Structures are given as C-alpha cells and as structure tokens.
Amino acid sequence: MKTNLVALLAGIIFGLGLALSQMIDPNKVLNFLDVTGNWDPSLAFVMMGALAVSMFSFRFILKRPAPVLESGFHVSKQVSINRPLLIGAALFGIGWGMSGYCPGPAVASLGLLSVEGIVMVVAIYAGFFSHRWFARK
Amino acid sequence: MENFTPVSALLGGALIGLSVSLLLLLNGRMAGISGIMNGLFSAPKKEEVWRGLFLLGLILGAVFFQLLTNNSLQLRQGYPIALIILGGFLVGVGTRMGSGCTSGHGICGIANFSIRSIMATMTFMLTGMVTVFIIKHLLGVA
C-alpha cells in the first residue's frame, strides 16, 4: 500500500519536472538534438539537474542494506557492453530523433490530451510487443 | 540559442532527480520509464499496480502543471504523424533491446556510475542528433 503511494507520488514529481523543464514539448527536445541548427542546450541542463541530485543521493541510498519499504533493491547487475545494448540504444536514439519523444514525456503528454502522445505511446507498446515476439523465436 | 531555458531546465531536472531518489530509497526501484511501461503488461500481477500508479502520476504531474500555470504548455501542431508512428516503434524496440531509455540509462544508470549506461546514453544521443540532422537538414522534413 505505502509502496503504491510512493510510486504515485514519485510519478507526479517526475511529471512536474518534465513539464517545468519543458521536456514534455517534443520541439524543445528536437532543438537539443539539432546541434547544427538553432541549438537549445536545455536538455543537457535537465540531465545535470537530475544527476546533481541523484548522483549524490544514490551513493547514500545504495549503501543501505535495503530500501525503506521493501526487502531489497532492484538494481541491474548487468555490466557487459554488448551488441544488444548498443544496437538497442542506437535504434532508440533514431526513434527519439524522429519523434521528439522518449518514453517519459510520451506518457506525461497524455495529461495534455496530446494526440501525438497517444499515437506515440501506442507505437512504443507495438515496439515492446514486437521485440518480445522476436525474442521468443 | 534564444530558446535556451537554463533555470527551469535545472529546476525541472532536480525534481526528476528527487523522484528517482524517492523511488529508490523507499521502494528500491530504478525509475526507468521504458522498463516501468513494459512491465505494466508483463510483470506479475502484484508488480503491475505500482507501475500503473507511477505512470498515472506522470500524467497527473503534467495536468497539475497546466492547472498551476494556466495551460502554459502548448501542443505541437502539424508534425508528420508517420514520423511519430515509426519513431515510437523504434523507441519501443530499441529500449527493450538496449534495456533502458533516457531515464533508466541517462539518469539512474549514470547516477549509479554504470559504464553500460554511459555508453548507451552516448549512443542514443549520437544517433538522435544524426537522425535530426538527416530529417531536418538533409531531407528538409519538419
């Protein structure tokens, strides 16, 4: 119960952050990726703001034996730099550059009743399910 | 660079940092949005509730911001829908294959000093920039 409330609250704060920083606006994101055009470095500052807080907090949090409300941390233990990682990240970047949306802003933009956001979220799930289907073969 | 908004970017980023910190400290979860989205329909039932609530929160956060700022955010108009459909599909496939997106690799992974996440982030930033260059400057679309 408490963990569900935490998830809702964390989602709200994340969504407010995306809206305040305008990362919910796909044009703002594309202007960051448009390094040879009218470049807008804002997205890099969003990452710096997020990393300033999380790099500091994660060091202390991950020293704990367990999180406050659960019995253990769910943290990826993968370390290898392999082909799926790099090919997947490359494909993700191409889709991001085509649309201007990564998953967080796509979901948050549903709150603005964005038709683009709805199409984007459905297309992302189509990608998830296709990947699962191919991975099973 | 007349559209550069460093202050709201840093403050919004700090809120995102606070969100991922809360989720890790209290629930022991990394706030990777693509992973949370994917798990909504694939994780065990009791795992699905918090994911749904986190995603609902994302939507509510945007709604609250609009209410607080008198609908300051405008929607993009007239962007080719084909680029959204194809782009969304590639985002879905790519984030599953590469195990993460901007939040999972770019924020949580880097905050955890994961070399894997740093490599992934550099890769998707680079291909994103090349894609925008091709679409906007070479093809002149959008």
Side-chain angles (χ1 to χ4, degrees):
Chain A
M1 185 61 208
K2 274 188 195 159
T3 54
N4 287 337
L5 279 176
V6 168
L8 180 66
L9 181 69
I12 291 172
I13 297 171
F14 203 117
L16 283 171
L18 288 174
L20 174 62
S21 61
Q22 299 174 59
M23 290 301 111
I24 197 169
D25 176 357
N27 279 334
K28 185 97 178 155
V29 173
L30 291 182
N31 285 340
F32 167 76
L33 294 175
D34 189 12
V35 277
T36 64
N38 186 17
W39 192 50
D40 176 357
S42 300
L43 188 144
F45 277 62
V46 177
M47 287 192 65
M48 281 193 273
L51 286 173
V53 175
S54 54
M55 274 183 170
F56 180 79
S57 72
F58 278 25
R59 285 181 53 196
F60 295 99
I61 295 168
L62 292 172
K63 278 203 186 103
R64 297 172 54 95
V68 176
L69 301 172
E70 289 279 353
S71 55
F73 287 104
H74 298 262
V75 177
S76 168
K77 292 182 179 61
Q78 293 191 79
V79 288
S80 68
I81 315 286
N82 50 21
R83 281 165 69 112
L85 177 80
L86 297 177
I87 295 171
L91 292 177
F92 162 48
I94 294 171
W96 190 35
M98 280 183 167
S99 61
Y101 290 101
C102 54
V107 172
S109 72
L110 299 180
L112 310 182
L113 302 178
S114 159
V115 176
E116 277 189 356
I118 297 167
V119 174
M120 186 73 194
V121 168
V122 171
I124 290 173
Y125 272 106
F128 286 166
F129 289 120
S130 303
H131 177 262
R132 207 175 296 165
W133 190 75
F134 275 111
R136 254 201 310 245
K137 296 227 149 195
Chain B
M1 297 215 310
E2 70 268 22
N3 297 320
F4 183 34
T5 50
V7 176
S8 61
L10 279 171
L11 289 175
L15 282 176
I16 294 170
L18 174 66
S19 165
V20 301
S21 301
L22 281 175
L23 201 67
L24 187 65
L25 172 66
L26 298 170
N27 292 8
R29 295 280 177 176
M30 289 287 187
I33 313 270
S34 62
I36 293 175
M37 283 178 80
N38 182 55
L40 187 61
F41 298 111
S42 67
K45 269 281 171 281
K46 67 177 173 63
E47 283 274 299
E48 288 174 354
V49 179
W50 76 266
R51 291 166 192 272
L53 287 169
F54 182 90
L55 297 172
L56 176 67
L58 269 184
I59 297 171
L60 289 177
V63 172
F64 293 159
F65 185 83
Q66 287 290 64
L67 293 175
L68 290 169
T69 61
N70 230 330
N71 296 314
S72 63
L73 295 168
Q74 304 289 316
L75 293 177
R76 177 169 67 177
Q77 304 288 341
Y79 194 79
I81 204 74
L83 287 177
I84 306 282
I85 295 171
L86 185 56
F89 185 79
L90 290 174
V91 167
V93 172
T95 52
R96 282 308 82 217
M97 206 186 230
S99 325
C101 60
T102 338
S103 50
H105 281 311
I107 296 171
C108 295
I110 293 181
N112 198 20
F113 300 100
S114 156
I115 306 293
R116 228 175 105 78
S117 290
I118 293 168
M119 293 299 292
T121 304
M122 284 170 29
T123 304
F124 64 67
M125 290 267 177
L126 180 70
T127 59
M129 287 170 178
V130 171
T131 303
V132 169
F133 180 76
I134 293 171
I135 289 180
K136 194 167 173 183
H137 299 291
L138 292 186
L139 303 176
V141 182

